Amino acid sequence: MEPGTYARQRLVSFVAALLGTTLLCLAFGDIALAQDAVPPACGGKILEKCTPNSGDTAWMLTSVALVLMMTIPGLGLFYGGMVRKKNVGDTVMTSFAVTCLVTILFALLTYSMAFRAGTPFVGGLDRMFLRDILSDIGKGGIGNPNPLAATIPESVYICFQMTFAIITPALIAGAFAERMKFSAMLWFIGLWAIFVYAPIAHWVWGPDGFLASGNDAAWVKVLDFAGGTVVHINAGVAGLMCAIMLGKRSETGPAHNVVLTFIGAALLWVGWFGFNAGSAVTAGMQAGMAMLVTQIATAVAAFTWMLVEWSLKGKPTVIGICSGAVAGLVAITPASGFVGPIGAFAIGIGAGVFCYWGCTGLKRMFSYDDALDCFGVHAIGGIVGALLTGVFAVEQYGGTAGVLEGNVGQFFNQCIGVAIVFVYDAVASLIILFVVKKVVGLRVTQDIERDGLDLALHGEMVQ
């Protein structure tokens, strides 16, 4: 081989090796840079440009569907079966219309008022019209979660809390069933969602609410895992104000279809697992315990109600056992993330006894017409659950001890929280009702009430 040819081959080999080495370095460098660029997991103090936890997100997506099912169709059927046949359409229409109205208001305004930082009394308006929500589609799954739900996309958290905002005012309809104008209902529910639900939700659950147990600067730390005060006492007290303002129905009758009520109660029971276990906002140990105690308390309350009714009236009824189940679900709601099985048994018994009394003795004592026992089940059950949370809370489960573990002060915190919500809700609801009465009127005419709301207000009849 000629010396020149050999030299050229050596040079080509050297250049090829150099290029190969450079390409390998660049490739490994790109891999390293790509690894460095992977967004961190959302949670703790990492709340910007991070990756949501897929397990938590999947559970919360499921919970959203479960809780929405509680209102439509659950609550609609539960209430619809208990009214007279001529008012079934108006009753189920109310649940559906409230779902639509509150969804719109929540997206426009009340989510920001309730669940964003602002003042101890109401949240800021930085999420009005849901602006500045970073899409988790098309940017590698990156998101900026709400600090209240650090491991899931904010869009999912919004949907979850939206379902709570929907069912709370829908519950109120049980008190004014069969006699309230549909237009008055829409005005009342819309104003109530803005001026009552949103502030109270912020007080108890907001990042800087003055009753929020998760706020280090809270004035009084109230334990409410899934809505004993925010949802049930809130709805029950508003329902009582509606019953007082509207007055008694001109005529009443038995439930027209107990099977519809049974189906509705069953859907509520199943959906409530999303309500309570979903309020952990993670697919973890606390969600599991919340699910277990929800099942126990509900069964105990339903069985207790059945036994009480059987002993006092001689017969156990479908409406009774279904109402007892809902009472148990209500009462365990504030406690579900804080108590264990023993607490669930006690709360179930308390709900069965006290809610039965609330729907019978208390109602007769004060002679108000709470048509479908919104106050008797939801307010009384919510109060029982909220107070017993302060007794049976287990520090190992929820991070806060109750009376049985030596923290007597927590019981008094619960009493204060119940009292504040009760008084504010009663006063604000009465003001809203008074305004609506002056503007559009509250009650249908006697002729419409006699003939039925379905045909007169909606032009439809259930055959």
Side-chain angles (χ1 to χ4, degrees):
M1 181 179 294
E2 296 179 0
T5 302
Y6 177 74
R8 283 195 299 272
Q9 289 178 345
R10 291 287 303 272
L11 180 60
V12 169
S13 300
F14 174 76
V15 171
L18 182 62
L19 288 172
T21 303
T22 302
L23 290 172
L24 285 173
C25 290
L26 289 173
F28 282 114
D30 287 343
I31 293 172
L33 288 172
Q35 290 174 341
D36 292 341
V38 173
C42 299
K45 295 181 179 180
I46 301 175
L47 296 172
E48 293 184 1
K49 297 182 180 179
C50 52
T51 304
N53 181 284
S54 59
D56 292 346
T57 301
W59 167 234
M60 295 310 297
L61 289 167
T62 303
S63 296
V64 168
L66 287 170
V67 182
L68 182 60
M69 184 184 72
M70 291 171 63
T71 305
I72 46 171
L75 187 67
L77 292 173
F78 182 71
Y79 279 170
M82 288 192 284
V83 297
R84 288 169 295 168
K85 190 175 182 179
K86 61 186 178 181
N87 297 319
V88 177
D90 181 72
T91 302
V92 297
M93 176 71 172
T94 295
S95 290
F96 213 97
V98 167
T99 299
C100 299
L101 174 62
V102 175
T103 295
I104 295 166
L105 293 175
F106 199 76
L108 296 180
L109 179 63
T110 55
Y111 167 70
S112 194
M113 290 176 62
F115 298 104
R116 299 295 295 182
T119 72
F121 305 102
V122 69
L125 300 179
D126 63 316
R127 284 293 189 269
M128 281 185 66
F129 302 97
L130 300 184
R131 65 175 182 266
D132 297 330
I133 294 178
L134 185 64
S135 172
D136 48 49
I137 301 173
K139 288 193 176 182
I142 300 173
N144 296 335
N146 187 313
L148 296 171
T151 63
I152 65 174
E154 186 171 14
S155 57
V156 177
Y157 184 63
I158 291 168
C159 285
F160 182 66
Q161 289 297 351
M162 183 184 288
T163 58
F164 279 65
I166 287 168
I167 196 170
T168 305
L171 293 170
I172 303 172
F176 58 70
E178 301 193 290
R179 61 199 189 278
M180 193 175 195
K181 287 183 177 181
F182 190 74
S183 58
M185 179 277 295
L186 292 174
W187 277 107
F188 171 72
I189 294 299
L191 293 170
W192 191 88
I194 296 170
F195 294 106
V196 180
Y197 181 82
I200 289 178
H202 186 76
W203 298 352
V204 179
W205 289 337
D208 48 2
F210 73 93
L211 299 177
S213 60
N215 176 18
D216 292 336
W219 304 353
V220 179
K221 295 192 175 185
V222 177
L223 299 179
D224 185 359
F225 190 70
T229 51
V230 177
V231 176
H232 298 291
I233 296 175
N234 209 3
V237 172
L240 178 62
M241 298 306 106
C242 289
I244 292 171
M245 285 287 289
L246 283 162
K248 293 184 178 182
R249 288 168 291 175
S250 58
E251 58 181 33
T252 60
H256 95 282
N257 192 328
V258 296
V259 175
L260 290 183
T261 296
F262 162 77
I263 296 170
L267 290 170
L268 286 169
W269 190 333
V270 173
W272 224 288
F273 291 123
F275 201 87
N276 285 358
S279 291
V281 201
T282 61
M285 299 293 288
Q286 194 175 36
M289 182 59 74
M291 180 172 283
L292 174 62
V293 298
T294 297
Q295 178 68 16
I296 292 171
T298 305
V300 170
F303 203 76
T304 300
W305 184 302
M306 182 189 74
L307 294 177
V308 171
E309 183 182 47
W310 201 346
S311 64
L312 294 178
K313 294 191 174 181
K315 294 178 181 178
T317 66
V318 174
I319 296 292
I321 198 169
C322 289
S323 298
V326 174
L329 291 163
V330 169
I332 196 61
T333 290
S336 54
F338 303 111
V339 305
I342 300 302
F345 272 97
I347 289 170
I349 293 171
V353 172
F354 283 101
C355 290
Y356 180 84
W357 168 76
C359 296
T360 55
L362 181 67
K363 190 160 67 169
R364 285 196 301 268
M365 187 185 307
F366 291 98
S367 192
Y368 56 84
D369 186 9
D370 179 4
L372 307 180
D373 293 314
C374 175
F375 182 80
V377 171
H378 293 280
I380 299 299
I383 291 170
V384 168
L387 298 184
L388 292 183
T389 300
V391 175
F392 291 99
V394 178
E395 186 174 8
Q396 180 181 353
Y397 297 152
T400 302
V403 172
L404 296 184
E405 292 187 339
N407 183 15
V408 179
Q410 189 56 50
F411 178 78
F412 292 104
N413 286 356
Q414 300 299 105
C415 292
I416 293 169
V418 168
I420 290 172
V421 169
F422 195 109
V423 172
Y424 175 81
D425 187 7
V427 173
S429 296
L430 283 174
I431 292 172
I432 295 169
L433 286 165
F434 180 79
V435 171
V436 173
K437 182 177 182 180
K438 289 297 183 182
V439 176
V440 298
L442 288 176
R443 187 164 176 162
V444 298
T445 65
Q446 289 186 349
D447 290 342
I448 291 176
E449 190 173 345
R450 183 189 63 247
D451 297 337
L453 277 60
D454 289 3
L455 190 60
L457 300 186
H458 307 289
E460 298 172 315
M461 291 180 63
V462 175
Q463 300 296 333

